[in-house]
Amino acid sequence: MKAGVIHCRCSKCYSVPVRKRVRKRTPALTLLSLPEEVLLCVLQCLSAEDLLAVRAVHSQLRDIIDNHSSVWARVSFKDTWPAPNTVWLFERAAEKGNFEAAVKLGIAYLYNEGPLLSDEGRADVCGRKASHFFSLAESLRSPLANPFIWVFIRPPWSPTGSCCKAVVFDRLKAECDNNMVRPLLHCLARVLQLFEEDEKHMDALLMLEESSQAGCLQSSYLLWEHNRRNAMADPGRYLQYVRTLRDYAAKGCWEAQLSLAKVCSSGNPLGLEGRACADLVAQLFMTVMGLRFSVSISLHLCLCRYILVDWLVEVTTMKDFSSLTLHVTVGCVDRYLALRSVPKARLQLLGIACMVVCTRYISKEILTIREAVWLTDNTYKYEDLVRMMGEVVSVLGGKIRSPTLLDYGEVLLSLLPLERRTTHLFSYICELSLLYSALSTPSPAKLACAALLLTRALHHYAPIWPSQLADYTGFSKQDLIPFAVLLHVKCFSQDVPKDYRHVSLTGVKQRFEDEAYQQISKENVLTYLLKLMDPPSPTGQPADITTFLSSPSSNSKRRCDDSMQAHRGSFVATPTAELSTQEETLLGDILDWSLDTSCSGYEGDQEESEGERDGESDNFHKASDIHQCFKFRFIYLGRNRISAHSRTLLCTFTCRHVCAK
């Protein structure tokens, strides 16, 4: 720069460098950036395979997974079975409190299915391993839960002396001697009760007493059942035993609750007032323990379930198992389907696995695994059935037995006994209800009451729902009518599903054609549903439903009464009044039942009387939908000229008639 030269500060001579604005990059969000509490919730929802993959991604994730037992306790082993390369993973999860891993390991070691062990001393090694994980599985359950591991070690045992079940029993007994564990004592007692030797029966009673003193509610109830027969001979002693039963029921033992309801239904040993005794029994029918799982399955899988249950009925009949075994088996199937999805190809495997487990829990004669595989025509292998048994027990949390229709039915029949043939009809309806998934949604308590209502109606009992039943169950006749109609439509439809060979599935019907059930399934079930709505006629015969429409159980065409024909001229053919809210709701429910593809209605529903055909055809063709058709017919027959109960019956038959057209 030359001296004396002054530069201006214009843009040409002087410029300030422009600062570039640098945008700060937002840090990328990763799994590690989540709060630890949120991260733990994410990890707890992963399967075992995914958890291992996440664990190998980063050292920080590995530390979080290894240091938090809650992650291992809740990891899912769905469709995964212990194998030589994954046994360590199952054992680690089981030691951290994973019930599913403990159950699957116990069954895998018991049947030597999965882990590879040498033949030398295999029974002893497998027995020690199985007893450890079975004991661990029982310790992870609620103290009020019914112990279940005795189901897998119950007799028959191998006569060769190298039985893994016997090793498990001895190991569990040694564990109880060192440290008394009440669930294990209960399991050991249940096993000893199944032997024929009197000495073992005495040992079983001693174990039950020890378990009861330790606080096992189920052992206390079994002791009560054992001493009940002796206590009934002394009224004072029996009163004390009933009070003890009431205490067990108040603590949450549902078997004690059922027994208490039977005792109070057949008499009043506690000396309570009539209303108090009725409320005590009604509380059983209103408790949430009777709620079923809602099974949401597709229509195709619904048909597959029908085929499965029909096949299970045939197995029950062939093996001469009890109806209770069948009901508990289907209950396990439905509860499993409510929690896990099952491919169609494995549905039969699920059903037979549930039956194997339930026969061991209920029956003295069991269904062996090899025999069960043979019953499936060797579609599945031995190891497939063993693994499915582990899946079922682990998913159900070890809860095999749950209240069924038969349990509540025994309470109802002890309250108001029926004739022998009517009792068989009630059992027949209960088994027919097992076939339909739509009937697995209502609680078994309400469905049992609806089945009894339908049974009494079909055999002309009057009144069909006495006040005594309403007081002791808490259900009125109006509460049960929709379920009774649904039972009638489902169970006595002439459109019986067929299998792939186009053979009708009539396993339940054939089962009740036996002389032991007085061939009740051959009885012609007539639709006396008007008896559900209106009182019986003074003659004692069921009311005549031909007053306003033909019987759906008859193929003959009947005319309405002359009095009805005389009033038809004054009726209008278009609606003059809207339906009430209750009637609209009832219509929606009935339409849902009528449109069900599993039933197409009776043949009689598709016919009309000659007087109705000419006058009503135009009105039905003018209607744009089924609801409008219903309103035309409803008003046409005179809304103000029939009772509310008769209108309800008319809704039922009209909707089925329209759907058939």
Side-chain angles (χ1 to χ4, degrees):
M1 181 183 296
K2 296 181 179 180
V5 178
I6 301 176
H7 293 274
C8 66
R9 293 191 176 272
C10 64
S11 59
K12 294 182 179 180
C13 300
Y14 184 81
S15 63
V16 179
V18 180
R19 294 182 179 179
K20 294 183 179 179
R21 185 175 296 176
V22 180
R23 295 182 179 180
K24 295 183 179 180
R25 294 184 178 180
T26 305
L29 293 177
T30 63
L31 196 62
L32 294 174
S33 61
L34 295 174
E36 187 172 332
E37 293 79 6
V38 178
L39 182 58
L40 286 176
C41 292
V42 174
L43 295 176
Q44 290 172 359
C45 299
L46 297 179
S47 63
E49 183 179 358
D50 294 337
L51 187 67
L52 289 180
V54 171
R55 185 176 178 272
V57 170
H58 197 276
S59 60
Q60 185 177 348
L61 290 174
R62 183 180 65 248
D63 294 338
I64 293 176
I65 293 174
D66 293 344
N67 296 330
H68 289 82
S69 59
S70 61
V71 176
W72 292 97
R74 298 187 61 181
V75 65
S76 173
F77 289 92
K78 178 182 178 182
D79 299 330
T80 307
W81 192 256
N85 59 334
T86 59
V87 167
W88 70 271
L89 180 62
F90 279 84
E91 292 181 351
R92 184 168 190 173
E95 297 295 341
K96 296 292 184 180
N98 192 296
F99 177 79
E100 183 180 7
V103 169
K104 289 186 175 181
L105 279 173
I107 296 177
Y109 279 114
L110 179 67
Y111 294 100
N112 192 28
E113 180 51 47
L116 295 179
L117 300 174
S118 60
D119 293 337
E120 183 179 357
R122 185 174 60 185
D124 184 64
V125 174
C126 288
R128 286 189 289 106
K129 289 277 191 179
S131 64
H132 171 70
F133 290 109
F134 277 145
S135 175
L136 186 60
E138 284 289 1
S139 65
L140 296 175
R141 304 178 73 219
S142 169
L144 296 178
N146 206 333
F148 73 97
I149 63 172
W150 64 272
V151 171
F152 297 100
I153 61 175
R154 57 159 288 173
W157 290 351
S158 174
T160 59
S162 60
C163 180
C164 190
K165 294 181 181 180
V167 175
V168 174
F169 180 87
D170 294 336
R171 296 287 301 181
L172 293 177
K173 187 176 181 181
E175 183 178 350
C176 291
D177 293 338
N178 298 330
N179 184 16
M180 185 172 57
V181 184
R182 58 189 185 188
L184 298 184
L185 280 173
H186 178 87
C187 292
L188 296 176
R190 294 294 297 267
V191 171
L192 292 177
Q193 283 181 330
L194 296 172
F195 287 96
E196 297 180 355
E197 294 84 351
D198 294 338
E199 182 180 356
K200 292 187 177 181
H201 288 179
M202 296 299 297
D203 293 340
L205 291 177
L206 293 176
M207 288 184 178
L208 286 177
E209 291 178 357
E210 293 179 8
S211 178
S212 176
Q213 293 174 1
C216 182
L217 190 58
Q218 287 72 25
S219 298
S220 301
Y221 176 72
L222 288 181
L223 285 174
W224 180 89
E225 274 194 335
H226 179 266
N227 299 325
R228 179 182 180 182
R229 184 175 301 175
N230 297 330
M232 291 182 66
D234 185 2
R237 186 181 177 187
Y238 183 65
L239 176 60
Q240 181 60 36
Y241 269 81
V242 175
R243 290 175 178 173
T244 304
L245 179 64
R246 182 177 60 180
D247 295 337
Y248 296 157
K251 292 179 181 179
C253 180
W254 68 266
E255 295 96 335
Q257 293 174 356
L258 282 172
S259 298
L260 181 62
K262 295 175 188 176
V263 170
C264 294
S265 298
S266 57
N268 190 5
L270 295 174
L272 301 175
E273 296 181 358
R275 187 61 193 175
C277 187
D279 292 341
L280 188 63
V281 179
Q283 186 178 2
L284 169 72
F285 287 85
M286 295 297 178
T287 50
V288 296
M289 72 169 189
L291 294 180
R292 288 190 178 185
F293 287 83
S294 178
V295 185
S296 178
I297 56 179
S298 63
L299 181 62
H300 183 67
L301 191 57
C302 181
L303 178 60
C304 294
R305 180 192 175 278
Y306 189 106
I307 297 174
L308 170 65
V309 176
D310 185 83
W311 177 72
L312 291 175
V313 171
E314 293 180 355
V315 174
T316 303
T317 305
M318 182 183 67
K319 297 295 296 180
D320 199 21
F321 292 139
S322 63
S323 294
L324 180 61
T325 302
L326 176 64
H327 279 261
V328 176
T329 299
V330 177
C332 288
V333 171
D334 287 338
R335 286 189 289 143
Y336 186 90
L337 291 177
L339 300 173
R340 293 278 177 89
S341 59
V342 179
K344 183 182 67 174
R346 293 175 61 86
L347 199 59
Q348 186 184 20
L349 178 62
L350 170 63
I352 197 64
C354 290
M355 178 158 281
V356 170
V357 174
C358 291
T359 55
R360 293 165 182 258
Y361 192 93
I362 296 173
S363 304
K364 190 172 183 180
E365 298 294 332
I366 67 172
L367 181 64
T368 64
I369 297 178
R370 298 192 184 279
E371 188 176 13
V373 171
W374 175 81
L375 287 172
T376 64
D377 198 18
N378 294 318
T379 305
Y380 310 100
K381 299 179 181 178
Y382 181 94
E383 53 269 22
D384 295 332
L385 186 52
V386 170
R387 296 181 182 189
M388 180 55 76
M389 289 167 57
E391 289 284 346
V392 169
V393 175
S394 59
V395 169
L396 299 184
K399 185 180 179 181
I400 301 172
R401 180 80 159 85
S402 60
T404 64
L405 269 72
L406 296 185
D407 295 319
Y408 292 101
E410 290 180 0
V411 178
L412 295 171
L413 296 180
S414 63
L415 181 62
L416 279 180
L418 302 173
E419 297 178 357
R420 183 184 176 188
R421 186 170 183 81
T422 308
T423 303
H424 292 328
L425 177 61
F426 175 74
S427 302
Y428 180 45
I429 293 176
C430 288
E431 287 204 11
L432 284 174
S433 68
L434 296 176
L435 296 169
Y436 302 96
S437 58
L439 296 175
S440 64
T441 302
S443 67
K446 179 173 286 188
L447 198 61
C449 293
L452 180 62
L453 177 69
L454 179 60
T455 302
R456 293 174 64 90
L458 294 175
H459 275 192
H460 318 315
Y461 279 73
I464 58 173
W465 195 249
S467 58
Q468 186 179 4
L469 285 174
D471 294 338
Y472 275 78
T473 62
F475 298 123
S476 64
K477 185 174 72 172
Q478 286 70 25
D479 296 334
L480 301 176
I481 282 175
F483 297 97
V485 174
L486 178 61
L487 273 170
H488 185 275
V489 171
K490 288 287 186 182
C491 298
F492 298 107
S493 170
Q494 294 181 353
D495 187 13
V496 179
K498 299 180 180 180
D499 60 7
Y500 68 96
R501 299 168 299 177
H502 301 288
V503 177
S504 298
L505 303 173
T506 57
V508 178
K509 188 176 185 299
Q510 294 175 3
R511 173 177 169 84
F512 281 84
E513 287 178 353
D514 192 84
E515 290 292 342
Y517 300 102
Q518 297 183 341
Q519 298 181 347
I520 192 63
S521 61
K522 293 183 178 180
E523 181 178 295
N524 292 326
V525 178
L526 302 179
T527 53
Y528 293 112
L529 289 185
L530 185 61
K531 194 171 183 180
L532 295 173
M533 315 302 174
D534 290 324
S537 61
T539 61
Q541 297 297 325
D544 187 11
I545 62 174
T546 60
T547 304
F548 48 88
L549 47 84
S550 59
S551 171
S553 61
S554 172
N555 293 329
S556 61
K557 301 177 181 179
R558 302 179 180 178
R559 295 181 180 274
C560 299
D561 288 348
D562 295 338
S563 59
M564 192 66 180
Q565 294 285 354
H567 287 291
R568 283 199 170 191
S570 61
F571 294 166
V572 292
T574 56
T576 58
E578 293 295 324
L579 301 179
S580 64
T581 305
Q582 294 180 350
E583 290 162 350
E584 289 282 1
T585 305
L586 178 63
L587 171 62
D589 294 340
I590 294 176
L591 286 178
D592 289 340
W593 304 336
S594 301
L595 292 175
D596 195 336
T597 56
S598 62
C599 125
S600 61
Y602 290 87
E603 185 177 352
D605 292 337
Q606 302 175 4
E607 298 188 5
E608 299 170 309
S609 63
E610 296 177 0
E612 292 176 337
R613 183 172 299 174
D614 297 332
E616 293 179 2
S617 59
D618 294 337
N619 292 334
F620 276 108
H621 288 298
K622 291 178 182 179
S624 58
D625 54 69
I626 295 178
H627 286 267
Q628 192 65 22
C629 292
F630 166 78
K631 292 181 181 180
F632 274 109
R633 188 179 181 97
F634 184 84
I635 302 301
Y636 186 79
L637 292 180
R639 175 177 181 178
N640 298 325
R641 290 176 171 81
I642 57 178
S643 65
H645 292 316
S646 299
R647 288 204 307 270
T648 306
L649 177 65
L650 181 58
C651 294
T652 306
F653 284 95
T654 302
C655 292
R656 291 177 57 200
H657 170 81
V658 174
C659 293
K661 288 179 68 65

